[in-house]
Amino acid sequence: MNLKKVLPAFALVMGLAGGILHGLDLTKGYDGAGLPTGTPWFKILCVLAVAAVPICVICAHQYRQTSHKYKAFEAYLCGGGDAHKMAAVLCAAVFALCGLFGLYMTAVHLIDLSLFERVTLIPLYLLALLSCLAFVRLGSHAAAGVASEQSASLVFVPIFWATLDMVNTFKVNGNVPLEGQFMFELLAAMSLLCALNAYARFLFALPRPRLFAGFAALGVVFGMIGGVGSLLAWLMGSDITDVLFLPRAGCYIACALWLAYQLSRMAVSSEPEGPALRRKKQTAQ
């Protein structure tokens, strides 16, 4: 079995299954006072999440640890033509819609929000809007087989978005006594941040194919869990998931699907040879 080609599909299936479990847990796992009702969804979800980590690591281990720094991006992540452009445009469109909706909902509920939420949510959704440009430019250049310095620098916009989302999620939910109500949203932001950082390494000639494959797979899994779970919980009428969180859930799903496409590009790519990570220093004679 070619584990490289299985990894994107596996991550999506695990993420979707985990998202359904997370949605059921948020809807059926807590009573009106926010106390656990004894349903098994959270325990099953934890087992699935824990099992996903070593499996993703094992699949990602099939890639090289390092690669030729000047050829890795073109070899691993470029190509795909119109399919690559379509994936980038769809991801950008979801980020744009979620960013606009998030700004609108923040403005509507501005009086009810704390000072910290006001300070972080508005820049968060502005970064989501700016991320549209980043995904479109990166997708179009990757489909053409090369990335310019200007388009490579745009990758820091979604990185800043994921960082601010992680900080906001942790701070706002810091007083919640039951971690299951926000833990997987926090894991989604953290895993997406790590995956985007690993993607940036390819753009700046510091490629680690194995590192990116592992973090991207985990980003797909936890991004889908956090996004699908929150969206499903809201559709099922859960009191835990607020409508203000829906734009962020949409961004999680879009970024996870974009990472899944990048994994599919890696699965069919050529792999240029690269130096070992640790090379002995040459001593002068």
Side-chain angles (χ1 to χ4, degrees):
M1 180 185 296
N2 192 331
L3 295 181
K4 297 178 184 178
K5 295 183 178 180
V6 170
L7 182 57
F10 166 79
L12 282 173
V13 171
M14 292 285 285
L16 183 59
I20 294 174
L21 290 171
H22 187 41
L24 291 172
D25 177 60
L26 292 176
T27 306
K28 307 293 184 181
Y30 305 93
D31 57 19
L35 299 176
T37 58
T39 57
W41 308 121
F42 181 70
K43 294 180 180 179
I44 299 174
L45 176 58
C46 289
V47 172
L48 184 146
V50 171
V53 175
I55 297 177
C56 289
V57 171
I58 292 173
C59 293
H61 197 268
Q62 304 302 308
Y63 288 96
R64 292 195 176 101
Q65 194 170 10
T66 187
S67 184
H68 193 293
K69 64 180 182 178
Y70 297 118
K71 298 179 181 180
F73 181 75
E74 290 78 4
Y76 282 100
L77 301 173
C78 285
D82 293 338
H84 203 148
K85 294 179 181 179
M86 182 63 67
V89 169
L90 290 176
C91 180
V94 174
F95 264 78
L97 291 175
C98 292
L100 290 173
F101 182 64
L103 286 174
Y104 170 76
M105 295 303 298
T106 302
V108 170
H109 297 86
L110 190 63
I111 299 178
D112 302 326
L113 298 176
S114 65
L115 178 61
F116 178 81
E117 290 177 303
R118 297 177 190 177
V119 172
T120 55
L121 285 181
I122 294 176
L124 177 67
Y125 293 127
L126 289 176
L127 286 172
L129 288 173
L130 292 176
S131 296
C132 305
L133 177 61
F135 286 117
V136 170
R137 288 286 297 273
L138 287 172
S140 61
H141 285 215
V146 66
S148 65
E149 183 178 353
Q150 291 76 14
S151 63
S153 299
L154 289 174
V155 74
F156 291 107
V157 178
I159 287 176
F160 290 149
W161 161 80
T163 304
L164 188 56
D165 187 282
M166 180 182 64
V167 172
N168 179 274
T169 301
F170 179 78
K171 175 63 177 178
V172 172
N173 297 282
N175 295 325
V176 177
L178 299 174
E179 293 80 3
Q181 297 182 8
F182 72 94
M183 179 177 66
F184 287 98
E185 286 74 15
L186 182 61
L187 287 174
M190 293 173 61
S191 59
L192 292 176
L193 174 62
C194 292
L196 290 170
N197 272 284
Y199 183 88
R201 295 181 68 93
F202 279 85
L203 294 169
F204 293 95
L206 297 169
R208 297 290 183 267
R210 187 181 299 173
L211 181 72
F212 174 68
F215 278 135
L218 293 175
V220 173
V221 173
F222 290 110
M224 292 293 289
I225 291 176
V228 174
S230 299
L231 182 60
L232 182 62
W234 180 78
L235 291 174
M236 296 175 67
S238 173
D239 295 330
I240 298 177
T241 303
D242 196 329
V243 68
L244 285 171
F245 191 81
L246 292 184
R248 295 157 70 179
C251 291
Y252 291 165
I253 297 173
C255 195
L257 293 176
W258 180 78
L259 288 172
Y261 181 79
Q262 302 307 313
L263 285 174
S264 70
R265 291 302 315 157
M266 291 185 69
V268 298
S269 66
S270 59
E271 297 185 78
E273 290 287 351
L277 279 179
R278 297 178 180 177
R279 289 186 289 183
K280 295 182 180 179
K281 295 181 180 179
Q282 296 181 355
T283 57
Q285 299 292 334

